[in-house]
Amino acid sequence: MAESSGNLSNLRWSLRGTTALVAGDTRGIGYAAVEELAALGVFVFACSWNSAELAERCLKEWSAKEFCVTGVNNVGTNIRKPTTGYTSEEYSKLMATNLESATSLV
């Protein structure tokens, strides 16, 4: 059994030295996830569709807190209607943007 220390919970949940990818991180749950992970010592790679907000606000705030966070714009789209109502053109655009574009990165 491991030796007990007064601060075992911090050692148990240490993520220092790891890397995380967080999407949708300029607000809400994504923003909170970046804050929590970075506070635990994680190097966070943030990506958001809103590159201006990411660069002009979020990255500056995290840098001021001395968090190790970097970020870029990401791509994604959706159509706000039931999937069964998509035209073949809409479906093709969704697949090209959200699925096939990822293979271009490899």
Side-chain angles (χ1 to χ4, degrees):
M1 193 156 151
E3 188 176 311
S4 179
S5 72
N7 201 1
L8 184 60
S9 63
N10 287 341
L11 296 174
R12 183 175 181 194
W13 295 108
S14 175
L15 296 173
R16 192 162 307 283
T18 62
T19 302
L21 170 67
V22 180
D25 45 38
T26 58
R27 59 187 74 186
I29 293 172
Y31 186 90
V34 170
E35 293 260 312
E36 185 67 16
L37 290 167
L40 290 169
V42 175
F43 174 78
V44 181
F45 190 84
C47 56
S48 173
W49 64 268
N50 190 338
S51 59
E53 186 173 15
L54 179 63
E56 294 169 12
R57 182 179 63 83
C58 298
L59 291 175
K60 287 179 182 176
E61 290 175 8
W62 296 324
S63 178
K65 294 177 181 181
E66 298 183 359
F67 290 160
C68 290
V69 181
T70 189
V72 296
N73 188 30
N74 72 336
V75 175
T77 190
N78 70 1
I79 298 171
R80 297 190 184 272
K81 65 180 180 181
T83 307
T84 55
Y86 292 172
T87 66
S88 56
E89 291 82 16
E90 290 171 331
Y91 181 80
S92 293
K93 180 181 177 183
L94 284 171
M95 291 299 108
T97 304
N98 297 340
L99 181 63
E100 295 169 15
S101 63
T103 62
S104 299
L105 300 173
V106 178

